[in-house]
Amino acid sequence: MKKIILIFAIMAQAFAVEASQLRMALLDTEDLTAQKSDLVAGPLQSGAIAQKGAALIGKLMLKSGAFNLIDRRDFTDRLDHVKLGPGSRPDNSSVLQAARALNADAVMKSALLSLSAERRAINQSGYQVEFKNLTMRVMIEILDSTDGSIIAMADGAASQEFRTTGADMTILGEEEFLKLFENAVSKAVPEIEQMVARRMERHAAKSRVPV
């Protein structure tokens, strides 16, 4: 009897945890940067960073415990069935339809908004030093899968400064850019979590039946 009670208690706890989480599907991160040629990353382009953005954002979202993420492969397969043609980006209606088919509560859209390098040069007595400040800004948006309304929206920015001289030149690699992307996302995620938590609290309050 005690074993049965324990099993039911564990099941109840599991359902309570699941109910407190937002089941969410993740779209690919868009590259909305205006500067397509990177001044400090050599051949690396902003699009290469955006392609890996959704995976990095998903990792940070899972750490909070507030989100239950759908496998991106399942979501991508479902989108392939509803979007208009090969290579075309699905519209909101198609995205929401695919999300609902997987019982998602919400869809996350994200974008790399800017990737810019500010330069400041100092030339003194023939010795020239150039300071570069690289800044990346990322936007995250959560849509209700039922009607497409915005549940939460936030952006975050991160910067890294370095200097170069005539004898010392720095070209950042992909790993440095991915770390900068993660830092920018980490600034936005807490605000997203707060907005989602408030939304879920309101829905929970509405669903309570007065005794």
Side-chain angles (χ1 to χ4, degrees):
M1 184 65 180
K2 289 182 178 180
K3 288 183 178 180
I4 294 175
I5 294 174
L6 180 60
I7 290 172
F8 275 111
I10 293 173
M11 290 176 63
Q13 185 177 8
F15 283 127
V17 170
E18 186 174 352
S20 66
Q21 292 180 323
L22 192 72
R23 182 170 169 80
M24 189 164 63
L26 275 62
L27 279 172
D28 292 336
T29 301
E30 291 186 77
D31 177 16
L32 300 181
T33 58
Q35 182 180 314
K36 297 303 178 185
S37 59
D38 202 324
L39 300 177
V40 292
L44 186 64
Q45 299 293 316
S46 57
I49 305 302
Q51 286 177 359
K52 300 175 182 179
L56 294 174
I57 295 174
K59 183 189 74 171
L60 293 174
M61 290 286 194
L62 282 175
K63 286 184 177 180
S64 70
F67 302 96
N68 178 8
L69 301 185
I70 294 170
D71 191 311
R72 279 176 47 75
R73 291 168 296 186
D74 294 338
F75 189 46
T76 301
D77 289 344
R78 181 63 62 174
L79 277 175
D80 287 340
H81 287 87
V82 298
K83 68 181 184 181
L84 299 177
S88 62
R89 188 170 183 85
D91 56 19
N92 265 8
S93 175
S94 300
V95 168
L96 298 178
Q97 180 183 340
R100 289 194 297 268
L102 295 172
N103 298 317
D105 302 313
V107 177
M108 188 204 78
K109 300 175 70 176
S110 59
L112 178 56
L113 294 181
S114 67
L115 178 59
S116 59
E118 179 186 11
R119 296 187 173 196
R120 181 167 55 91
I122 299 175
N123 193 338
Q124 186 174 11
S125 302
Y127 182 74
Q128 185 169 343
V129 180
E130 188 174 69
F131 293 91
K132 297 179 182 179
N133 187 40
L134 183 67
T135 302
M136 185 180 294
R137 183 172 295 276
V138 179
M139 169 71 74
I140 301 175
E141 185 179 357
I142 310 296
L143 304 180
D144 190 315
S145 64
T146 304
D147 57 8
S149 61
I150 299 175
I151 297 175
M153 178 188 290
D155 70 319
S159 301
Q160 180 178 346
E161 187 176 72
F162 52 97
R163 73 172 196 170
T164 61
T165 66
D168 182 16
M169 181 177 179
T170 301
I171 295 180
L172 298 182
E174 184 178 37
E175 182 60 30
E176 285 76 13
F177 275 83
L178 292 177
K179 287 180 180 177
L180 196 62
F181 185 94
E182 282 194 83
N183 289 339
V185 171
S186 66
K187 305 285 182 61
V189 168
E191 190 173 350
I192 291 289
E193 291 173 352
Q194 292 174 8
M195 292 180 184
V196 168
R198 288 197 293 268
R199 170 69 172 252
M200 295 181 75
E201 286 172 3
R202 289 196 298 269
H203 275 246
K206 290 180 181 178
S207 63
R208 292 192 192 103
V209 179
V211 180

